[in-house]
Amino acid sequence: MTAEPKSSQFKSAASEALQNPRLQAAMKASGGLAVRRAAAIAEIPEFEAIRDAGRDLKNHTLANLDAYLLAFEEKALESGAKVHWAADAEEARAIILKIVGRHAKGPEGKARVNKGKSMISEEIGLNSALEAAGHHVLETDLGEYIIQLRGEPPSHIIAPAAHVSKPDVEADFRAAHTHLDPERTFPDAASLVHEARHVLREQYFGADVGITGANMLIAETGQGVIVTNEGNGDLSQILPDVHIAVASLEKVIPTLDDASTILRLLARSATGQSLSSYTTFYKGARRQGDLDGPKEMHFVLLDNGRSEMLAGEFREMLRCIRCGACMNNCPVYRAVGGHSYGWVYVGPMGSVLTPNFVGIKEGRHLPNASTFCGRCQEVCPVRIPLPGLMRKLREAEFEQKLSPQTARYGLGVWRWFAKRPALYHRMSSIGMRALNWLSGGHGRLKRLPFGGGWTAHRDFPAPAKRTFMAEWKARKAAKSQGDDQ
Ligand code: SF4
């Protein structure tokens, strides 16, 4: 079992999101990442070549994943780390709970656990498992801390609280930080960051266990790499006696040189920075003479469906480096926000990953939540063909008879006409003229027969007066007339 999915409720969740003015305002305010990405990549003319290199490097690693994972394990063991393999979320949780329980110093065997941001821990529902066992969990990434206070899942993979407005954060801090003077004001976002830093700093010391994710695992050296802008991941892994890094199998890459290729793509695509503020390479437990570092270090390597993806037609999705560029540039994600997707991974990448991880039945709406504008593929640093993968999932949905009866009937009717080209052209010509007439010459339709889902939130552009074929014929005829004269 993974974190509980609610993706089958996408349609109603998206409708609610579109009518939520606070969410809409927060989504508008968080739109700068796409602009920053565009500016950052414009600065380096070789960016397209680095994208090719990133794609090839990930393809090569995936083709030899078993060998690189074993090489990573060997090097990690040599450096004093322990390596655990988890086939699914349940096994990963059990491994982590056991380690945390062994090192708990609190009363009745309860531990204090500090966490850096980790989407894998969201995927396996780790926080609720730790809390159910009585441990105290603190998210130390600012966005994660905010949503932990709100009891919500993240709405973006790199900006988990992208859906939350500044007044909401202020209200959350006032409710949770009981030391706050009611007269204290927070004039800007920086003052809220300052308040969070003040509270979190006090909590770094005294944690029994630190849990982080890993942006990469390097087979050549047995190192993990963590990339953050707040330094919280470093403090979570260095200060407690025990560090657990939980990562999925596809995070492994062959060499340190390869890590530099991914780093050049990652920060630019994610936040428009040339490099994130903190990029930390960590390895093994504290050695004799080291001034700091955990006394015990564990890597938990999670499969949870990846082996199946590796062997199937969705392998390319495993190239994902979790930069978030696809969602920052997706008109659907920008309109409905991350929570509508109903599970850990959101936006275009979530529309492919979620049905693969939780099943097509549960995740079937997500590949349909796309205009197929192709922007996600255009910006993906490792050139994942996201629309093509979503199309495959739509096909699977159709084949498994999961799509609505009306859509299936509509496609059947369309197929019948498409097999009869003359009739097809005649009927589409009549249909276009009818829609054009319905638009009243305004070029837009406010209501569309059988298309209420589309026009409920936006107008439908009226089609041209005649079909492409008719236009083509007319222009050809006009041209040959001109040539004759
Ligand atoms: S699919 Fe591509 S753009 Fe989207 S998060 Fe993954 S790497 Fe980034």
Side-chain angles (χ1 to χ4, degrees):
M1 196 191 77
T2 54
E4 202 56 48
K6 292 188 186 127
S7 304
S8 58
Q9 294 157 33
F10 176 83
K11 284 187 174 181
S12 54
S15 288
E16 273 173 37
L18 288 168
Q19 283 154 33
N20 180 339
R22 279 177 96 95
L23 173 75
Q24 292 301 319
M27 292 305 293
K28 223 177 209 169
S30 69
L33 290 174
V35 180
R36 289 210 284 273
R37 172 203 170 270
I41 65 166
E43 279 173 11
I44 52 166
E46 70 273 29
F47 192 73
E48 293 305 310
I50 308 172
R51 287 178 76 190
D52 289 340
R55 176 201 54 205
D56 296 348
L57 151 67
K58 290 296 258 181
N59 279 346
H60 165 78
T61 315
L62 291 171
N64 301 280
L65 194 61
D66 50 351
Y68 285 121
L69 282 168
L70 290 174
F72 171 78
E73 181 184 38
E74 196 183 319
K75 289 290 174 189
L77 291 173
E78 270 174 34
S79 68
K82 295 185 170 66
V83 179
H84 311 261
W85 301 88
D88 54 24
E90 198 175 339
E91 196 176 353
R93 286 195 301 264
I95 293 166
I96 295 168
L97 279 170
K98 209 163 154 193
I99 301 167
V100 171
R102 246 189 0 247
H103 294 277
K105 295 196 194 102
E108 296 170 31
K110 309 303 178 204
R112 277 185 58 193
V113 179
N114 280 1
K115 282 188 66 226
K117 193 168 83 58
S118 152
M119 292 312 292
I120 296 298
S121 80
E122 300 282 350
E123 181 182 325
I124 63 175
L126 184 59
N127 282 16
S128 42
L130 287 166
E131 282 162 0
H135 303 302
H136 177 266
V137 182
L138 176 74
E139 292 286 354
T140 61
D141 170 271
L142 177 60
E144 288 282 346
Y145 176 63
I146 292 168
I147 60 168
Q148 186 182 29
L149 292 182
R150 299 169 66 81
E152 290 176 348
S155 66
H156 188 289
I157 58 169
I158 60 159
H163 60 289
V164 188
S165 66
K166 184 186 154 284
D168 288 339
V169 176
E170 182 175 335
D172 295 334
F173 284 2
R174 286 194 190 282
H177 300 175
T178 45
H179 62 270
L180 268 180
D181 180 347
E183 301 296 314
R184 168 132 181 233
T185 55
F186 293 98
D188 49 26
S191 58
L192 288 165
V193 173
H194 184 76
E195 166 62 15
R197 185 178 289 143
H198 170 71
V199 170
L200 290 170
R201 286 251 151 159
E202 285 178 5
Q203 313 253 356
Y204 278 116
F205 299 95
D208 303 323
V209 179
I211 300 179
T212 68
N215 291 84
M216 286 173 269
L217 304 168
I218 302 172
E220 179 185 41
T221 57
Q223 286 170 304
V225 182
I226 190 166
V227 177
T228 71
N229 270 321
E230 297 167 25
N232 64 302
D234 305 70
L235 293 174
S236 300
Q237 73 189 32
I238 287 170
L239 295 176
D241 279 349
V242 182
H243 173 211
I244 305 171
V246 51
S248 49
L249 301 182
E250 80 280 11
K251 290 287 165 72
V252 76
I253 52 162
T255 65
L256 271 171
D257 271 357
D258 296 330
S260 71
T261 303
I262 300 294
L263 287 173
R264 294 188 80 190
L265 293 170
L266 181 59
R268 286 186 174 89
S269 302
T271 51
Q273 294 164 285
S274 47
L275 202 59
S276 299
S277 305
Y278 300 88
T279 301
T280 305
F281 293 70
Y282 56 88
K283 179 177 177 175
R286 188 191 303 188
R287 296 157 304 183
Q288 218 173 4
D290 282 351
L291 293 177
D292 55 25
K295 292 180 185 151
E296 209 174 295
M297 206 264 132
H298 299 261
F299 285 105
V300 180
L301 305 181
L302 176 76
D303 185 327
N304 209 27
R306 273 117 182 135
S307 294
E308 218 171 295
M309 281 177 76
L310 187 69
E313 54 184 351
F314 296 99
R315 172 189 278 209
E316 289 186 279
M317 196 59 221
L318 294 175
R319 291 207 297 267
C320 177
I321 58 171
R322 306 288 192 268
C323 69
C326 55
M327 56 202 72
N328 299 337
N329 286 275
C330 173
V332 177
Y333 172 85
R334 302 279 330 139
V336 302
H339 286 167
S340 302
Y341 290 77
W343 202 55
V344 181
Y345 301 113
V346 302
M349 57 89 86
S351 296
V352 178
L353 282 176
T354 304
N356 270 286
F357 287 155
V358 306
I360 293 207
K361 191 168 179 203
E362 176 67 37
R364 67 189 181 280
H365 295 313
L366 307 189
N368 290 294
S370 168
T371 60
F372 276 5
C373 64
R375 189 81 187 112
C376 50
Q377 179 170 340
E378 243 170 68
V379 298
C380 176
V382 281
R383 302 197 190 281
I384 299 175
L386 290 152
L389 297 179
M390 282 188 249
R391 195 170 288 119
K392 282 182 187 169
L393 286 160
R394 288 184 184 187
E395 283 164 19
E397 180 201 9
F398 188 81
E399 276 157 21
Q400 292 178 31
K401 298 194 175 18
L402 293 168
S403 35
Q405 197 62 38
T406 43
R408 298 180 65 75
Y409 180 71
L411 271 175
V413 172
W414 176 82
R415 189 175 56 182
W416 190 88
F417 277 107
K419 280 179 172 168
R420 295 159 178 82
L423 189 59
Y424 183 89
H425 290 310
R426 182 129 197 84
M427 292 310 289
S428 40
S429 170
I430 292 171
M432 282 176 69
R433 264 185 274 149
L435 287 177
N436 210 282
W437 176 76
L438 278 176
S439 77
H442 299 302
R444 306 201 149 258
L445 287 143
K446 291 206 173 300
R447 269 193 220 107
L448 191 65
F450 308 111
W454 178 288
T455 50
H457 297 286
R458 59 227 187 276
D459 292 347
F460 186 82
K465 280 190 183 140
R466 48 189 173 192
T467 64
F468 173 78
M469 300 292 276
E471 185 68 26
W472 181 267
K473 256 191 209 161
R475 286 195 190 192
K476 222 171 149 188
K479 189 168 182 288
S480 59
Q481 236 176 27
D483 290 346
D484 291 345
Q485 280 166 8

Coordinates of all heavy atoms in Angstrom, one line a residue, residues 157 317 319-327 349 376 379-382 384 386, ligand 1:
I157 N 6.0 19.3 -6.5 CA 7.1 18.5 -6.0 C 8.3 19.3 -5.5 O 9.0 18.8 -4.7 CB 7.5 17.5 -7.1 CG1 8.0 18.1 -8.4 CG2 6.5 16.4 -7.3 CD1 8.7 17.2 -9.3
M317 N 9.6 7.2 -18.5 CA 9.1 8.1 -17.4 C 10.2 8.0 -16.3 O 10.2 8.9 -15.4 CB 7.7 7.6 -16.9 CG 7.1 8.6 -16.1 SD 6.8 10.2 -16.8 CE 7.2 11.3 -15.5
R319 N 13.1 8.4 -16.5 CA 14.2 9.4 -16.6 C 14.0 10.6 -15.8 O 14.9 11.4 -15.6 CB 14.3 9.8 -18.1 CG 14.8 8.8 -19.1 CD 15.4 9.4 -20.3 NE 14.6 10.3 -21.1 CZ 13.9 9.8 -22.2 NH1 14.0 8.6 -22.5 NH2 13.1 10.7 -22.8
C320 N 12.8 10.7 -15.2 CA 12.4 12.0 -14.5 C 13.3 12.3 -13.4 O 13.7 11.5 -12.6 CB 10.9 11.8 -14.0 SG 10.4 13.2 -13.1
I321 N 13.7 13.6 -13.4 CA 14.7 14.0 -12.3 C 13.9 14.9 -11.3 O 14.5 15.6 -10.5 CB 15.9 14.7 -12.9 CG1 15.5 16.0 -13.7 CG2 16.8 13.8 -13.7 CD1 16.7 16.8 -14.1
R322 N 12.6 14.9 -11.4 CA 11.7 15.6 -10.4 C 12.1 17.1 -10.3 O 12.3 17.7 -9.2 CB 11.9 15.0 -9.0 CG 11.6 13.5 -8.9 CD 10.2 13.2 -9.1 NE 9.9 11.8 -8.8 CZ 9.9 10.8 -9.7 NH1 10.1 11.0 -10.9 NH2 9.6 9.6 -9.3
C323 N 12.1 17.8 -11.5 CA 12.4 19.2 -11.5 C 11.1 20.1 -11.4 O 11.2 21.2 -11.0 CB 13.2 19.6 -12.8 SG 12.1 19.5 -14.2
G324 N 10.0 19.5 -11.8 CA 8.7 20.3 -11.7 C 8.5 21.2 -12.9 O 7.4 21.9 -12.9
A325 N 9.4 21.2 -13.9 CA 9.2 22.2 -15.0 C 7.9 21.8 -15.8 O 7.2 22.8 -16.2 CB 10.4 22.1 -16.0
C326 N 7.6 20.6 -15.9 CA 6.4 20.2 -16.7 C 5.1 20.8 -16.0 O 4.2 21.3 -16.7 CB 6.2 18.7 -16.8 SG 6.3 17.7 -15.3
M327 N 5.1 20.8 -14.7 CA 3.9 21.3 -14.0 C 3.8 22.8 -14.0 O 2.8 23.4 -14.2 CB 3.7 20.7 -12.6 CG 4.8 20.9 -11.7 SD 4.8 19.7 -10.3 CE 5.3 18.2 -11.1
M349 N 3.8 15.0 -15.1 CA 4.5 13.8 -14.7 C 3.7 12.9 -13.8 O 3.7 11.7 -13.9 CB 5.8 14.2 -14.0 CG 5.7 15.1 -12.8 SD 5.5 14.3 -11.2 CE 7.2 14.0 -10.8
C376 N 4.8 20.5 -21.9 CA 5.5 19.7 -20.9 C 6.7 19.0 -21.5 O 7.8 19.0 -20.9 CB 4.6 18.7 -20.2 SG 3.6 17.7 -21.3
V379 N 9.6 21.4 -22.3 CA 10.4 21.9 -21.2 C 11.1 20.8 -20.4 O 12.0 21.1 -19.6 CB 9.6 22.8 -20.3 CG1 9.1 24.0 -21.0 CG2 8.5 22.1 -19.6
C380 N 10.7 19.6 -20.6 CA 11.3 18.5 -19.8 C 12.8 18.4 -20.1 O 13.2 18.2 -21.2 CB 10.6 17.2 -20.1 SG 11.4 15.8 -19.2
P381 N 13.6 18.5 -19.0 CA 15.1 18.6 -19.3 C 15.6 17.2 -19.8 O 16.7 17.2 -20.4 CB 15.7 18.9 -17.9 CG 14.6 18.5 -16.9 CD 13.3 18.7 -17.6
V382 N 14.9 16.1 -19.6 CA 15.4 14.8 -20.0 C 14.5 14.3 -21.2 O 14.5 13.1 -21.4 CB 15.6 13.8 -18.9 CG1 16.8 14.1 -18.1 CG2 14.4 13.8 -18.0
I384 N 11.4 13.7 -21.8 CA 10.4 12.6 -21.7 C 9.1 13.0 -22.5 O 8.6 14.1 -22.4 CB 9.9 12.5 -20.2 CG1 11.1 12.1 -19.3 CG2 8.8 11.4 -20.0 CD1 10.9 12.0 -17.9
L386 N 6.0 13.2 -22.6 CA 4.9 13.1 -21.7 C 3.5 12.9 -22.4 O 2.7 12.1 -22.1 CB 4.9 14.3 -20.7 CG 6.0 14.2 -19.7 CD1 6.4 15.6 -19.3 CD2 5.6 13.4 -18.5
Ligands
SF4_1 S1 8.7 14.8 -16.3 FE1 10.5 16.1 -16.9 S2 9.8 18.2 -16.6 FE2 8.4 16.9 -15.4 S3 9.4 16.7 -13.3 FE3 10.1 15.0 -14.5 S4 12.1 15.7 -15.4 FE4 11.0 17.5 -14.7

